[in-house]
Amino acid sequence: MKRLSTTLAAALVAMAAAGTAPAQQKPIRIGEINSYKAQPAFLDPYKKGMDLALEEVNAAGGIGGRKIELVIRDDGGNPGDAVRVAEELVSRERVDLLAGGFLSHIGLALTDFAKQKKTFFLATEPLTDKIVWQNGNKYTFRLRASTYMQAAMLVPEAAKMKKKRWAVVYPNYEYGQSAVATFKEQLKKAQPDVEFVGEQAPPLGRIDAGAVVQALADAKPDAIFNVLFGADLARFVREGNTRGLFKGREVVSLLTGEPEYIDPLKDETPEGWLVTGYPWYGIDTPEHKAFFIAYHRKYNDYPRLGSVVGYATVKALAAGLKRANSTDTEKLIAAFRGLNFESPFGKVVFRAQDHQSTMGAYVGRTTVRGGKGEMKDYKYYDGAKFLPSDAEVKKMRPAD
Amino acid sequence: MTVLLKVEGLTKSFGGVRAVGNVSFEVTAGELLAMIGPNGAGKSTCFNMLNGQLAPDAGSIEFAGRQIVGLKPRAVWRLGVGRTFQITATFSSMTVRENVQVALLSHHGGLGGLWRRARDAHVDAADRLLERVGMREQGDRPCSVLAYGDLKRLELAVALANRPRLLLMDEPTAGMAPRERVALMALAAEIVRTDNIGVLFTEHDMDVVFAHANRVIVLNRGQLIAAGAPDAVRADAEVQRIYLGSRH
Amino acid sequence: MSPDAIAVQFLNGLAGASTLFLIAVGLSLIFGVTRIVNFAHGSFYMLGIYVAYSLVARFGGTVLGFWASLLVAALAVAVIGVVVELLLLRRIYHAPELFQLLATFAVVLIVRDATLALWGPEDLLGPRAPGLKGSVEILGRQFPQYDLALIFVGPAVLGLLWLVLTRTRFGILIRAATQDREMVGALGVNQAWLFTAVFALGAFLAAFGGALQAPREPANLGLDLVAIGEAFVVVVVGGMGSIPGAFLAAFIIAEIKAMCFAIGQTTIAGVSFSFSKLTLVVEFLVMAAVLIWRPWGLLGRPAAATRNPAEIEAPISPADARTRRFGFAVLALLIVLPAFAQAFPYTLVLSIDILIAVLFAASLHFIMGPGGMHSFGHAAYFGLGAYGAGLLVKQAGWSMETALVGAPLIAAAGALVFGWFCVRLSGVYLAMLTLAFAQIVWSVAFQWDDFTGGSNGIVGVWPAPWLSEKWAYYYLTLACAVAGVLLLWRVLLAPFGYAMRAGRDSPLRADAIGIDVFRVQWKAFMLAGLVCGVAGGLFAFSKGSISPEAIGVGRSIDGLIMVLLGGVQTLAGPVVGAGLFTWLSDLIAREFAYWRAALGLTILVLVLAFPLGVAGSVKRLFAREAA
């Protein structure tokens, strides 16, 4: 029924549009840059999410009669190429604005490119706090909940555990380092007697899980904060389970509840970790339901977190473009400041003070159901509540 | 007769095997001295010590009154000792003339140059040296296409580039046709005469040795067993014993 | 730390050593016999774990089924190895040294995308090994049974290989070929089939090493590069071609890593230091130390002079009139290029990248071709130039123009220090020491958050206002690239260039005519570093940011690809190769979703069509025509 109505609506809009001159206007072009082949596990679903939203937006008549078009480029996983394709998109493809980014350093390179070239840029996936704070600029907005926000979401629950001795394990690069720094700082505030007794920072993608797990166990912590993800996480979990590292210990773990990372664990998924993530199987808000049904219908697959981000990216851009009623960079910036839009996670706002969206994340406990890893007892944490005060932001973020 | 090279008590062992033991001899200017001996007698080891490639375990090597033990080959060369190798060592990516030019540039201290074209340097001198060994017409050919005998002659030209007072030639005629051998040794003899230099060479071909050498020394199992004029050495009982049947 | 903890960490190290040994040993065999630097070795490893995953999922329920699955997986990959050898490598054994590396690099690209297409993007964690699922208690700690088994697999494979190498005719041939390739030909053995067999054995061992990891880690698309990096280090530390050496090296590296984790965060002299972070680079520190101390690895032997079957390069000469005219025409075209910027705005952007690549590749070719020093770590000097420029602007407050002058000096200073160690070595050992230094520089940039910006790098490094227009920056880059390339060419035609080639062609003869080969090569290294630093500085300002990738292995490999693709034996080679590779990468990445595979296939076609490199083969063609 719903499908019929959207098709009908689309047809009607198309007919209406066809009758008016603006329909002949050329489409709005969005340049999208990402590490598609370097990070396919996350970015395949991301692209699918974008395509779905694009279809919906255009079926609904586009923006002011203009269709949206995505011009997608692979950055090969390195910032040098990312900047080159950004220039290509701007100069040859004449895109109206840029979006994308997954790896932090590429996100930052594009952030600075946007500033230099005075081009609007929506950083979609990268998590580094610097995009909106230390390296923030007028031209850059960021969609996903940042490292700081996600770590901060876990702190209140972690403090409630009342564990004194903590160990941390994280991949040795900016994301891991800043997540741990935020977590330590905030946990100390919430629970002054906390003690960090072990710290392991294996190289990304190359963990010696056996040695790391044993070293953590030998530190005899009461609880562990984990930032590992991907293949490192799987190795760590398997070794940890075999060696009994998680027995009788609380584990707080960033991103582990995201399907991208929990799915590969299957029945190895540890029980009861406190994680951020995306429990697609149990979110029954209307926004999410609609998204889920549409996604499943189009791809015959369940969405990953990447799908949500990709979908929300296009929705956010559509909302911003509509509000700006122009593709002019300055007008877009003005429109995005304080912009409200509907994401599968509900209403999200782009904060005017630092251009960070308030898109949140789900926090819950891990469990195994039917041989698969899932989250239980989860709750949506609105990103707006896990951001530093305006005064603190002002201190960190350079003025425009 | 000036003594150019004075070797005393030269000794070298490899892993307990004495390759050269207590060898002493002299080379004077204007003489063609042959060092002979069966395979493994220690000739190449001896040569490698003379030009600094190998450090001796004991002994002294004086060149023109100066102790040269411990000097690197390039330093020995700078003192005026040229050398050819048993297996020719040339610069295969260069032309014949360029091979000689590099040696001349090195002799004149010009190899640090970053700007001037190397192929324009010392062209005439290089051609004269090539002329001397009969290679002038082949000056522009790539060294990599030369016949073996020509390579040997080129190597000689290269070795002569710094006007050496002593020339060490390790099997200079190996791999050559008989006629070429005679020609090359005649050339060496002529250089000795005209430039008044000393030549020490090793050789397997006894005809070559006895036709050209002024003096002969004989090594066997690292020991010097005979020295003297070719006829005297040929008549030496021990030398005959060693070479009986081993001459092919 | 208790002695018990150290003891168990030691066991962890042993399990790791077995793993490393299996990754590396096949590479050592292949190199020993064929002298091929096989980049695809990591891909065989990755395929091993993927195939094993699929087989174990079906047949891995029983003990027998599990182990049979691993063996079958390794055999399947060995067959792929045979195909690669027969269809590809066999056609190019007579190409110039290292050229085969290009082909194996293409195989890496193709295998990566094929794996993605076949198995999908998600990490695939296999089930545990039947019968070895649990753990045993050792000194009060749970130790996985499977790891315990692994500890024995490494030595068992070592023993088996030892038997094969000492007791079978095949093994004796392998050993003979490792020591002297020509001897095998003299023994009347069909060398082609020996190579195929060794390549298959190497692929089998790599894949078996991968398959054995299926119960320990998920099959994922990053494994090929991780494995190849580790394999090279182990092989070189142990000594190329030495199998006991590989075992010893694997043991040392794995134990050092385990102990780094065991020590963890520690305070030394009041400074808190994380040993776990050291594992980022520890194997390269070990490699650098070993190579400086023992230039042929722990148990390796000085390689016999490589008698490369390739043709010796023709003498170089100044460009003839026709070439000059062509050169001027190209230059004229480049000069008027900005006039078309309106119609083709991207051309300038891409051209800047190409010109920077040309400078990078030309400086690498300078030491690699005429210098005879294969550098696998040329990115070090590119990175030093780029970071130098960025830091001079951001930390020292220099202007862009002065920073651009300072950058190459910093790179040259780096080359001065590293070159002093590197030029003492030769062949693959030299190459790997350059790589080790590059990795050390990389890890410093990656780790020194306060100074270099850590993994994020430095942002906000833009050109001065008068150069901020694309065309202006283009002319700056063009001027630097042309000047740099002409300078290098000029030097190659000058006496110094001849001294370099003399040292490469015959170190013995060079020394015997008074050339200090060490000093010549050291100076060459510095000059290459200087020019490469210019490229790095230009790169930083053209991108506005600089991150550790600029020093990464990927960039060093790109340089090698450019030089080899263009033709290492010609002066124009690096220029043509850099242009072609940069242009192709850009084009293919845009036009194909599976761009890696498309790029790999393109390189394969070029490799087979131009076995002397593009410029080399074209030059040959003209030379024939003229003759």
Side-chain angles (χ1 to χ4, degrees):
Chain A
M1 185 62 214
K2 191 169 176 216
R3 187 183 189 176
L4 183 69
S5 62
T6 40
T7 320
L8 257 176
L12 280 173
V13 170
M15 274 163 67
T20 54
Q24 305 308 320
Q25 279 182 344
K26 56 183 182 57
I28 297 171
R29 291 163 72 79
I30 296 167
E32 209 280 344
I33 302 163
N34 242 315
S35 314
Y36 288 100
K37 283 288 173 288
Q39 306 289 337
F42 210 96
L43 293 168
D44 260 16
Y46 169 84
K47 186 167 176 299
K48 286 182 177 155
M50 281 199 304
D51 287 341
L52 173 65
L54 190 73
E55 229 174 71
E56 290 180 7
V57 170
N58 284 338
I63 310 295
R66 290 174 72 182
K67 293 241 156 34
I68 298 187
E69 208 175 274
L70 280 176
V71 190
I72 291 175
R73 293 285 183 265
D74 195 317
D75 61 28
N78 81 75
D81 287 357
V83 170
R84 184 176 70 222
V85 295
E87 298 214 55
E88 191 253 341
L89 288 169
V90 171
S91 63
R92 179 158 70 187
E93 298 295 337
R94 304 205 182 282
V95 297
D96 297 295
L97 56 94
L98 292 172
F102 179 81
L103 301 164
S104 287
H105 58 309
I106 297 181
L108 278 171
L110 290 174
T111 299
D112 206 59
F113 175 83
K115 177 180 165 196
Q116 178 74 7
K117 305 284 161 174
K118 301 191 181 358
T119 306
F120 182 91
F121 172 52
L122 177 62
T124 54
E125 297 266 25
L127 293 176
T128 177
D129 303 318
K130 294 191 168 114
I131 285 181
V132 290
W133 296 338
Q134 289 86 343
N135 293 76
N137 63 56
K138 184 176 153 188
Y139 299 93
T140 304
F141 290 77
R142 191 248 303 275
L143 179 63
R144 214 176 146 197
S146 66
T147 309
Y148 177 94
M149 293 158 76
Q150 305 221 22
M153 285 174 197
L154 291 169
V155 168
E157 294 295 320
K160 275 185 213 157
M161 293 169 181
K162 302 229 183 301
K163 300 289 183 191
K164 207 176 149 197
R165 294 169 62 85
W166 284 79
V168 295
V169 54
Y170 58 94
N172 182 16
Y173 77 110
E174 202 255 3
Y175 162 66
Q177 292 154 7
S178 55
V180 164
T182 306
F183 184 80
K184 277 183 170 176
E185 190 195 313
Q186 302 226 346
L187 190 62
K188 264 182 196 153
K189 258 189 232 164
Q191 185 193 341
D193 70 337
V194 70
E195 207 184 321
F196 288 93
V197 294
E199 181 160 343
Q200 293 290 335
L204 177 63
R206 294 193 285 139
I207 188 174
D208 273 306
V212 168
V213 164
Q214 200 214 312
L216 286 172
D218 285 338
K220 300 203 169 46
D222 306 325
I224 296 166
F225 179 60
N226 166 58
V227 197
L228 299 171
F229 62 89
D232 287 336
L233 177 71
R235 287 175 208 151
F236 177 69
V237 166
R238 176 152 284 177
E239 284 288 334
N241 282 338
T242 316
R243 292 171 189 249
L245 173 66
F246 311 129
K247 243 182 233 150
R249 291 196 175 98
E250 290 279 8
V251 179
V252 175
S253 186
L254 214 55
L255 307 190
T256 307
E258 294 178 5
E260 284 86 338
Y261 305 130
I262 201 168
D263 288 357
L265 299 179
K266 289 181 273 193
D267 59 353
E268 195 77 38
T269 308
E271 191 69 37
W273 284 20
L274 181 75
V275 297
T276 61
Y278 169 44
W280 53 271
Y281 27 80
I283 305 174
D284 45 14
T285 59
E287 311 87 70
H288 186 263
K289 261 192 177 152
F291 161 72
F292 181 84
I293 290 166
Y295 190 91
H296 196 271
R297 188 186 298 145
K298 187 165 161 70
Y299 300 112
N300 195 26
D301 193 5
Y302 58 92
R304 317 297 201 273
L305 183 67
S307 321
V308 175
V309 178
Y311 183 85
T313 295
V314 171
K315 288 291 169 127
L317 289 173
L321 285 160
K322 191 170 275 172
R323 190 175 182 201
N325 196 23
S326 161
T327 54
D328 177 71
T329 302
E330 293 296 328
K331 284 184 183 151
L332 272 174
I333 293 166
F336 265 81
R337 287 183 169 155
L339 175 74
N340 265 295
F341 77 98
E342 283 292 331
S343 81
F345 288 178
K347 191 168 279 178
V348 173
V349 184
F350 280 100
R351 294 165 24 122
Q353 61 269 51
D354 59 4
H355 296 189
Q356 170 66 43
S357 100
T358 61
M359 190 167 163
Y362 286 81
V363 175
R365 296 274 183 172
T366 54
T367 187
V368 181
R369 192 174 303 152
K372 283 188 190 139
E374 282 196 356
M375 285 170 75
K376 62 175 183 189
D377 309 330
Y378 43 80
K379 220 176 92 187
Y380 181 65
Y381 280 38
D382 186 353
K385 295 179 188 146
F386 299 93
L387 280 159
S389 69
D390 287 3
E392 280 173 78
V393 166
K394 206 160 197 177
K395 238 188 291 169
M396 287 188 286
R397 186 179 159 93
D400 286 347
Chain B
M1 291 271 263
T2 32
V3 174
L4 274 177
L5 186 75
K6 191 170 177 193
V7 176
E8 272 176 12
L10 201 61
T11 301
K12 179 76 188 178
S13 302
F14 294 109
V17 180
R18 179 164 280 206
V20 173
N22 200 21
V23 168
S24 305
F25 62 90
E26 289 177 356
V27 183
T28 53
E31 115 174 299
L32 207 62
L33 175 64
M35 178 189 280
I36 63 169
N39 279 330
K43 300 182 304 265
S44 285
T45 306
C46 212
F47 260 60
N48 288 344
M49 286 189 281
L50 293 182
N51 86 320
Q53 245 172 272
L54 266 181
D57 297 337
S60 112
I61 307 168
E62 272 179 35
F63 174 69
R66 199 184 145 174
Q67 184 58 238
I68 60 169
V69 168
L71 293 186
K72 294 223 163 21
R74 54 177 182 274
V76 174
W77 180 79
R78 295 236 173 259
L79 293 174
V81 180
R83 157 141 206 207
T84 67
F85 294 92
Q86 190 175 352
I87 299 168
T88 54
T90 51
F91 306 131
S92 51
S93 76
M94 299 180 197
T95 65
V96 168
R97 186 181 299 105
E98 286 168 348
N99 266 273
V100 184
Q101 284 173 300
V102 169
L104 286 165
L105 276 164
S106 178
H107 177 52
H108 294 287
L111 270 180
L114 296 173
W115 199 251
R116 204 166 31 93
R117 275 202 182 132
R119 57 159 45 191
D120 300 334
H122 309 294
V123 179
D124 294 340
D127 280 344
R128 275 199 300 277
L129 280 167
L130 288 175
E131 178 84 65
R132 202 164 181 190
V133 298
M135 290 284 294
R136 181 152 185 182
E137 304 75 48
Q138 303 203 57
D140 289 321
R141 295 186 74 197
C143 178
S144 56
V145 302
L146 289 187
Y148 196 68
D150 289 345
L151 270 181
K152 286 265 173 193
R153 291 196 286 164
L154 168 61
E155 220 192 4
L156 181 57
V158 169
L160 291 172
N162 68 331
R163 301 179 163 276
R165 284 192 284 164
L166 174 69
L167 199 54
L168 306 172
M169 298 170 81
D170 199 354
E171 306 229 356
T173 67
M176 282 178 149
R179 183 174 303 195
E180 281 184 315
R181 294 179 183 204
V182 174
L184 188 85
M185 287 320 292
L187 175 63
E190 187 219 306
I191 293 166
V192 168
R193 245 190 338 271
T194 52
D195 296 8
N196 193 35
I197 69 172
V199 168
L200 173 67
F201 72 104
T202 66
E203 186 54 63
H204 264 121
D205 186 335
M206 290 306 127
D207 295 336
V208 170
V209 171
F210 293 112
H212 297 282
N214 303 113
R215 229 158 37 92
V216 178
I217 53 176
V218 188
L219 285 189
N220 187 36
R221 298 184 183 190
Q223 306 286 327
L224 189 70
I225 56 163
D231 289 340
V233 168
R234 192 160 19 191
D236 187 286
E238 201 176 352
V239 175
Q240 283 199 339
R241 190 177 53 78
I242 292 166
Y243 273 91
L244 210 64
S246 75
R247 265 185 80 182
H248 21 235
Chain C
M1 222 183 340
S2 68
D4 287 2
I6 292 178
V8 179
Q9 284 292 18
F10 183 78
L11 287 182
N12 286 329
L14 285 181
S18 274
T19 307
L20 271 182
F21 170 67
L22 287 172
I23 295 176
V25 65
L27 185 70
S28 194
L29 275 175
I30 292 175
F31 179 83
V33 173
T34 66
R35 290 284 184 274
I36 286 181
V37 177
N38 178 25
F39 273 179
H41 197 72
S43 305
F44 294 148
Y45 172 86
M46 181 172 78
L47 280 176
I49 189 168
Y50 269 100
V51 177
Y53 171 87
S54 294
L55 290 175
V56 166
R58 282 193 72 163
F59 310 108
T62 62
V63 174
L64 186 68
F66 175 82
W67 291 98
S69 296
L70 300 196
L71 279 176
V72 171
L75 283 171
V77 176
V79 171
I80 297 174
V82 169
V83 172
V84 168
E85 205 277 340
L86 285 181
L87 294 186
L88 190 59
L89 297 175
R90 188 168 281 197
R91 293 162 194 269
I92 51 172
Y93 278 123
H94 288 271
E97 219 179 340
L98 277 186
F99 191 72
Q100 299 85 9
L101 181 156
L102 250 186
T104 61
F105 173 75
V107 172
V108 172
L109 295 174
I110 295 166
V111 168
R112 169 77 75 92
D113 266 6
T115 310
L116 172 61
L118 285 172
W119 279 280
E122 202 169 88
D123 294 354
L124 303 172
L125 183 62
R128 292 169 186 238
L132 298 168
K133 290 184 176 176
S135 59
V136 288
E137 191 169 305
I138 299 176
L139 301 169
R141 288 167 177 80
Q142 301 297 317
F143 195 84
Q145 291 164 338
Y146 191 75
D147 286 23
L148 217 48
L150 265 188
I151 291 177
F152 293 101
V153 171
V157 171
L158 176 66
L160 269 176
L161 279 175
W162 181 80
L163 281 178
V164 169
L165 288 180
T166 52
R167 298 291 159 82
T168 65
R169 180 174 153 74
F170 177 58
I172 290 164
L173 287 175
I174 290 180
R175 284 192 304 154
T178 304
Q179 276 156 29
D180 189 338
R181 243 203 301 188
E182 276 160 28
M183 199 167 106
V184 180
L187 289 175
V189 176
N190 186 335
Q191 188 175 292
W193 284 107
L194 179 68
F195 279 24
T196 312
V198 168
F199 205 80
L201 178 61
F204 174 86
L205 288 166
F208 186 60
L212 273 175
Q213 294 304 306
R216 292 178 97 213
E217 66 175 323
N220 68 85
L221 295 163
L223 286 176
D224 51 354
L225 294 186
V226 171
I228 189 65
E230 287 177 341
F232 267 118
V233 170
V234 169
V235 167
V236 165
V237 168
M240 279 285 193
S242 165
I243 288 166
F247 192 81
L248 180 63
F251 170 76
I252 291 172
I253 290 171
E255 288 299 347
I256 290 179
K257 277 194 174 179
M259 291 310 147
C260 281
F261 286 116
I263 296 166
Q265 195 91 12
T266 287
T267 309
I268 300 171
V271 182
S272 178
F273 186 78
S274 172
F275 273 88
S276 70
K277 286 185 179 174
L278 197 62
T279 55
L280 186 68
V281 67
V282 72
E283 62 259 52
F284 289 98
L285 291 172
V286 170
M287 181 161 81
V290 166
L291 286 182
I292 289 168
W293 170 55
R294 286 186 69 94
W296 298 284
L298 293 173
L299 299 183
R301 273 189 282 189
T306 39
R307 272 160 282 174
N308 189 1
E311 273 178 62
I312 290 151
E313 68 186 68
I316 56 170
S317 51
D320 58 21
R322 187 172 60 171
T323 316
R324 253 164 212 274
R325 273 201 301 279
F326 181 72
F328 279 123
V330 170
L331 188 60
L333 199 72
L334 289 174
I335 289 172
V336 298
L337 197 64
F340 304 101
Q342 211 57 38
F344 307 102
Y346 181 56
T347 314
L348 284 189
V349 176
L350 186 60
S351 297
I352 291 174
D353 272 20
I354 287 178
L355 289 169
I356 291 170
V358 161
L359 208 46
F360 177 55
S363 68
L364 173 60
H365 171 261
F366 185 74
I367 48 172
M368 187 175 150
M373 297 177 279
H374 305 309
S375 169
F376 284 10
H378 206 53
Y381 315 105
F382 189 83
L384 282 172
Y387 267 95
L391 290 170
L392 285 174
V393 168
K394 286 275 157 182
Q395 302 278 3
W398 289 25
S399 72
M400 177 251 174
E401 295 87 343
T402 42
L404 212 47
V405 176
L409 297 178
I410 290 172
L416 182 81
V417 176
F418 301 149
W420 192 79
F421 293 104
C422 291
V423 300
R424 287 153 196 277
L425 275 51
S426 60
V428 153
Y429 295 100
L430 185 151
M432 293 308 286
L433 187 58
T434 59
L435 174 64
F437 282 125
Q439 284 300 94
I440 290 166
V441 174
W442 171 84
S443 68
V444 169
F446 193 88
Q447 203 66 217
W448 197 355
D449 300 315
D450 298 333
F451 190 62
T452 61
S455 57
N456 281 339
I458 304 166
V459 292
V461 190
W462 294 101
W466 64 280
L467 287 165
S468 65
E469 285 294 326
K470 267 281 119 70
W471 62 265
Y473 200 79
Y474 168 78
Y475 278 130
L476 173 73
T477 313
L478 180 64
C480 290
V482 169
V485 170
L486 288 181
L487 170 77
L488 291 176
W489 285 355
R490 184 88 206 190
V491 170
L492 286 178
L493 292 170
F496 182 78
Y498 277 72
M500 261 170 77
R501 281 160 61 214
R504 174 199 64 181
D505 284 357
S506 173
L508 193 64
R509 167 52 65 199
D511 201 16
I513 58 165
I515 299 174
D516 187 343
V517 176
F518 169 81
R519 214 159 257 281
V520 167
Q521 292 187 333
W522 192 24
K523 281 186 195 163
F525 215 84
M526 252 186 310
L527 187 59
L530 186 85
V531 173
C532 189
V534 176
L538 287 169
F539 175 79
F541 289 111
S542 79
K543 301 295 177 192
S545 62
I546 181 78
S547 73
E549 261 101 356
I551 321 172
V553 184
R555 182 164 300 273
S556 292
I557 293 175
D558 282 354
L560 286 170
I561 300 303
M562 292 172 197
V563 170
L564 293 169
L565 200 58
V568 71
Q569 296 187 339
T570 55
L571 292 186
V575 178
V576 173
L580 192 63
F581 182 69
T582 312
W583 173 71
L584 273 178
S585 310
D586 177 72
L587 181 75
I588 289 174
R590 192 165 48 242
E591 300 298 334
F592 294 88
Y594 283 95
W595 58 269
R596 277 185 224 269
L599 184 62
L601 285 169
T602 313
I603 292 176
L604 281 191
V605 170
L606 292 172
V607 161
L608 294 176
F610 303 105
L612 293 172
V614 176
S617 293
V618 168
K619 185 178 163 190
R620 163 69 54 88
L621 201 70
F622 275 113
R624 273 218 191 105
E625 240 170 47

